[in-house]
Amino acid sequence: QLSLPFGESQKSLQKVSPYRSTGFSSTLKCPGSLDITERCRGFLTAPVTDISVLEEKKDEMSTKMEMLIMETQAEFCKALEEVDGGTFKVDKWERKEGGGGISCVMHDGNVFEKAGVDVTLLLGCLTEEAVKQLSGEKVLKGKDGKLPFCAMGVSSVIHPKNPHIPSVHFNYRYFEIEEEDGSKQWWFGGGTDLTPVYIDRDDAFLFHNTLKEACDKHHPKYYADFKKWCDRYFYVRHRGETRGIGGIFFDNLDSPNQEEAFNFVKSCARTVVPCYLPIVRKHLNDSFTQEEKDWQQLRRGSYVEFNLMYDRGIKFGLAMPGCRVLMSLPLTARWEFMHQPGKGSREAEMLEVLRNPKEWV
């Protein structure tokens, strides 16, 4: 039985106290008190959209979302640099078809083998079929089959060196599409999920409980529903196992209204540091064997398989010239024919959880 009752897990966390403060003061605490130009000074580089345009359109949702994803990128990168001691390489790029992005990548750091935090803003036109495939359900009518669109988001995948530090992924995004009659359709999507190599129940509780608290501020069913959605989405069908121990995942969120949907996404974005950095700090000095490192490499193989075979976002990105969606892949991974961990081993325990997702909170 790998899931603990709420009170028992909470007591364990308080007793052991392995999770130290990240030591990083979030710039997201009260961004509304600053104007656009002042907020941009806290970014790693200038935003994709010109600051004068953002100022002019500061009340539009596209501006609010671009500011949020830029702030999320800056906050997460600074927190990772603090714990690693390394520095992100920041590359701002333009897409000739419209839009661009800011890629922040750290290779061979002290803690992280590869860490990527990417902001992307895409402009252009999509076919009706592409929109249907992208959204999974929306059928929209465009002029001559073409629909002008704006898509933006922040995404991150972190692959640590130490097999006792989990990998983490998050992505929060916004789509806006104009139909033939000039009406605009919009929706939000995203989520955060954890992929450990070995099970640590306290880590799982901290991670999931942080996400649950953010969800509970907006709807009592969000966490339960989006946790189940995450387990279903990050499923490696040919292996019959989930990619990790989940988190939350949602898509096509367009209710109850645009402002409340955005506020929910903002609450989720603010969890990316507190749900992960304490876990990293807890395991910084954990020793590991070559066998544990080999198991990490095998688990990364499964991670790569999901990303390339099933992930809808990566499929969309590969179809859009100029996107940099493959930053999510680790530097190294391993595949072995018919590998089977020993009965009763920690590796077998990990597989059991992946094949039978647990309730961690």
Side-chain angles (χ1 to χ4, degrees):
Q1 186 70 14
L2 294 178
S3 56
L4 293 176
F6 177 86
E8 212 172 308
S9 295
Q10 190 176 48
K11 185 187 297 182
S12 175
L13 280 171
Q14 291 171 347
K15 181 179 178 182
V16 179
S17 299
Y19 305 97
R20 291 180 288 136
S21 166
T22 63
F24 182 73
S25 177
S26 173
T27 59
L28 291 176
K29 294 288 177 66
C30 52
S33 62
L34 304 174
D35 63 21
I36 296 287
T37 302
E38 186 65 29
R39 289 168 66 185
C40 289
R41 292 194 178 100
F43 301 164
L44 301 179
T45 187
V48 178
T49 303
D50 190 86
I51 294 176
S52 62
V53 176
L54 294 174
E55 289 277 15
E56 183 182 338
K57 299 180 177 181
K58 63 182 179 181
D59 294 326
E60 294 188 12
M61 184 52 67
S62 59
T63 295
K64 294 178 182 179
M65 188 64 182
E66 185 169 354
M67 295 300 291
L68 175 64
I69 62 179
M70 290 294 298
E71 285 165 345
T72 302
Q73 181 186 56
E75 178 192 39
F76 198 55
C77 284
K78 290 172 184 176
L80 294 175
E81 285 181 341
E82 182 179 297
V83 76
D84 184 278
T87 303
F88 276 89
K89 180 179 180 180
V90 180
D91 180 32
K92 186 179 180 184
W93 50 276
E94 292 184 1
R95 179 175 171 270
K96 65 179 182 179
E97 295 81 3
I102 299 158
S103 299
C104 299
V105 178
M106 182 192 300
H107 280 173
D108 290 318
N110 297 308
V111 177
F112 305 111
E113 182 177 295
K114 184 180 180 184
V117 190
D118 201 17
V119 159
T120 305
L121 192 157
L122 305 177
L123 302 170
C125 287
L126 290 173
T127 64
E128 294 171 357
E129 183 58 35
V131 172
K132 185 178 179 181
Q133 181 180 357
L134 174 65
S135 67
E137 61 179 50
K138 293 183 182 293
V139 179
L140 305 181
K141 186 67 177 174
K143 186 176 182 179
D144 299 325
K146 297 288 186 179
L147 295 131
F149 82 101
C150 168
M152 64 182 70
V154 58
S155 61
S156 178
V157 178
I158 309 301
H159 295 292
K161 290 183 174 180
N162 192 318
H164 297 294
I165 301 176
S167 290
V168 74
H169 157 261
F170 69 81
N171 172 273
Y172 292 101
R173 56 193 180 272
Y174 172 69
F175 289 90
E176 195 174 86
I177 295 181
E178 185 176 326
E179 292 195 84
E180 185 178 16
D181 61 4
S183 62
K184 288 186 178 181
Q185 301 291 329
W186 57 267
W187 68 92
F188 294 90
T192 306
D193 63 283
L194 196 70
T195 305
V197 175
Y198 292 99
I199 288 297
D200 183 310
R201 287 174 287 184
D202 286 342
D203 290 353
F205 171 80
L206 173 79
F207 182 81
H208 277 268
N209 194 56
T210 304
L211 293 172
K212 183 178 184 299
E213 288 176 347
C215 290
D216 287 350
K217 294 176 183 176
H218 299 271
H219 197 290
K221 292 185 66 179
Y222 272 0
Y223 171 74
D225 290 349
F226 296 160
K227 193 266 185 191
K228 291 176 184 176
W229 198 341
C230 187
D231 290 337
R232 290 195 306 269
Y233 181 80
F234 292 103
Y235 185 69
V236 188
R237 291 194 292 273
H238 63 281
R239 290 184 177 271
E241 61 190 40
T242 57
R243 189 175 74 174
I245 64 167
I248 60 170
F249 178 86
F250 59 92
D251 208 353
N252 302 316
L253 183 67
D254 56 8
S255 63
N257 56 64
Q258 193 176 53
E259 198 63 34
E260 174 52 32
F262 172 68
N263 286 335
F264 169 64
V265 170
K266 184 161 55 175
S267 292
C268 293
R270 289 178 177 175
T271 68
V272 298
V273 169
C275 79
Y276 184 59
L277 266 296
I279 295 173
V280 174
R281 290 186 179 278
K282 173 186 170 184
H283 297 288
L284 274 179
N285 298 314
D286 286 4
S287 60
F288 57 89
T289 65
Q290 185 59 49
E291 287 182 348
E292 290 170 332
K293 188 67 179 176
D294 291 343
W295 175 243
Q296 179 194 49
Q297 295 293 299
L298 289 172
R299 296 314 311 154
R300 283 184 181 172
S302 178
Y303 198 101
V304 170
E305 289 168 12
F306 174 84
N307 283 24
L308 294 182
M309 297 175 69
Y310 302 119
D311 188 81
R312 205 165 68 216
I314 287 183
K315 287 182 178 180
F316 173 72
L318 290 174
M320 301 296 291
C323 282
R324 301 182 175 188
V325 293
L326 295 184
M327 76 162 204
S328 63
L329 301 183
L331 285 184
T332 58
R334 181 183 177 98
W335 286 265
E336 288 185 11
F337 181 65
M338 295 184 70
H339 180 273
Q340 188 65 38
K343 187 175 181 180
S345 65
R346 294 191 67 200
E347 290 79 8
E349 177 191 36
M350 183 75 249
L351 281 184
E352 194 277 330
V353 169
L354 298 178
R355 291 166 181 168
N356 300 282
K358 307 298 181 184
E359 296 298 328
W360 301 104
V361 177

